[in-house]
């Protein structure tokens, strides 16, 4: 596709369950970011990975959040043992490199009940 | 650590008027990029304008322009001739050229356009 796509658009999870959110980024893009967006705290970086697809550089280390990048243009954000405070919009963004713009997906709205 | 601050949670402007959104940032780096992104209700962030820190000239994109003050670490966005379609959340962002290259966002400013 031409842009970044995320799936699912909406996800409801029971507290304590694990969830996985998918991001299909743009082929050739080097850096891929995951953000959590809430009304009170804006957009915080959860994790990002650069050209080394096997390494996950966490911007905000947390034992419950991890990202896998099985292919250069695919990333899966995993949240273990979800909590109600994890309810938010999760955005994925990819960057070709340098100062070029980041392309964003439409986000996944996660609701933990 | 780099931080970006937007001190205006909400702003409103009359259609066709001009509005300025404020942004300040903190960094010890000398080479970096600054961005303004727009996020409409559809949630997809769209790049509005970009500024390279090494350039003294302020970036301009049609009705959008910035006032980049490197010494003051200020990066405001001016929207001229505001249109109803400009209504959205606006995020200021910073990205270092070297090292981690983390893209850091401000808290956002919700812009309302009054007809």
């Amino acid at each position: 596709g031409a842009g970044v796509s995320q799936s699912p658009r909406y996800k409801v999870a029971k507290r304590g369950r694990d969830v996985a959110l998918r991001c299909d980024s743009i082929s050739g893009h080097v850096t891929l970011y995951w953000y959590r967006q809430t009304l009170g705290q804006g957009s915080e970086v959860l994790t990002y990975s650069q050209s080394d697809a096997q390494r996950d550089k966490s911007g905000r280390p947390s034992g419950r959040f991890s990202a896998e990048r099985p292919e250069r243009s695919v990333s899966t954000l995993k949240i273990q043992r979800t909590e109600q405070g994890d309810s938010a919009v999760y955005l994925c963004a990819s960057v070709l490199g340098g100062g070029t713009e980041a392309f964003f997906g439409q986000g996944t709205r996660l609701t933990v009940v | 650590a780099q931080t970006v601050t937007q001190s205006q949670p909400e702003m409103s402007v009359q259609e066709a008027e001009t509005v300025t959104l404020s942004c300040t940032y903190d960094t010890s780096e000398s080479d970096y990029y600054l961005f303004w992104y727009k996020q409409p209700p559809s949630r997809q962030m769209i790049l509005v304008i970009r500024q390279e820190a090494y350039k003294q000239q302020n970036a301009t994109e049609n009705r959008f322009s910035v006032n980049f003050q490197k010494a003051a670490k200020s990066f405001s966005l001016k929207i001229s001739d505001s249109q109803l379609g400009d209504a959205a959340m606006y995020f200021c962002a910073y990205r270092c050229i070297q090292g981690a290259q983390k893209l850091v966002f401000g808290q956002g400013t919700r812009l309302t356009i009054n007809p």
Side-chain angles (χ1 to χ4, degrees):
Chain A
V4 178
S5 63
Q6 292 183 242
S7 58
R9 287 292 306 276
Y10 301 90
K11 175 75 178 176
V12 178
K14 287 190 175 181
R15 188 175 53 184
R17 294 289 180 90
D18 298 349
V19 298
L21 311 179
R22 180 183 170 106
C23 173
D24 289 86
S25 65
I26 299 172
S27 179
H29 278 204
V30 173
T31 306
L32 198 148
Y33 302 87
W34 280 100
Y35 291 88
R36 177 168 62 185
Q37 192 175 57
T38 58
L39 278 176
Q41 299 183 353
S43 303
E44 64 172 316
V45 174
L46 292 173
T47 183
Y48 60 102
S49 61
Q50 292 184 302
S51 55
D52 184 338
Q54 302 304 314
R55 183 167 57 220
D56 171 12
K57 291 186 173 183
S58 294
R60 186 177 177 90
S62 167
R64 295 191 302 109
F65 292 82
S66 64
E68 295 179 358
R69 200 167 171 182
E71 304 167 37
R72 276 288 185 96
S73 61
V74 177
S75 178
T76 302
L77 177 70
K78 295 187 175 181
I79 309 173
Q80 295 178 303
R81 304 180 303 282
T82 51
E83 303 171 355
Q84 284 192 316
D86 295 334
S87 295
V89 173
Y90 290 82
L91 294 174
C92 169
S94 70
V95 180
L96 177 60
T100 56
E101 70 178 283
F103 289 83
F104 285 80
Q106 290 186 291
T108 295
R109 181 177 292 282
L110 173 66
T111 303
V112 180
V113 297
Chain B
Q2 295 87 5
T3 58
V4 178
T5 303
Q6 293 176 249
S7 59
Q8 306 153 317
E10 296 183 355
M11 290 282 285
S12 63
V13 64
Q14 289 296 125
E15 192 177 3
E17 297 292 311
T18 295
V19 64
T20 298
L21 308 184
S22 301
C23 172
T24 58
Y25 58 94
D26 187 23
T27 183
S28 58
E29 301 292 333
S30 58
D31 293 326
Y32 49 87
Y33 297 97
L34 296 165
F35 307 86
W36 277 98
Y37 281 88
K38 170 185 176 180
Q39 188 179 38
S42 67
R43 294 204 307 251
Q44 193 153 23
M45 291 244 209
I46 305 164
L47 179 68
V48 174
I49 199 165
R50 174 178 60 214
Q51 175 81 42
E52 292 91 338
Y54 65 86
K55 289 187 178 179
Q56 293 186 341
Q57 187 173 7
N58 289 324
T60 299
E61 286 288 340
N62 301 314
R63 298 183 295 107
F64 299 88
S65 62
V66 299
N67 183 3
F68 173 48
Q69 302 289 330
K70 190 172 184 180
K73 295 180 181 173
S74 169
F75 183 61
S76 60
L77 174 70
K78 184 171 82 172
I79 306 174
S80 304
D81 184 26
S82 298
Q83 300 175 2
L84 294 178
D86 294 334
M89 283 289 292
Y90 285 81
F91 291 93
C92 178
Y94 162 101
R95 185 163 185 245
C96 187
I97 292 177
Q98 301 295 332
Q101 298 184 18
K102 190 166 66 175
L103 183 60
V104 179
F105 284 89
Q107 303 284 71
T109 297
R110 181 175 300 281
L111 178 64
T112 302
I113 311 295
N114 300 314

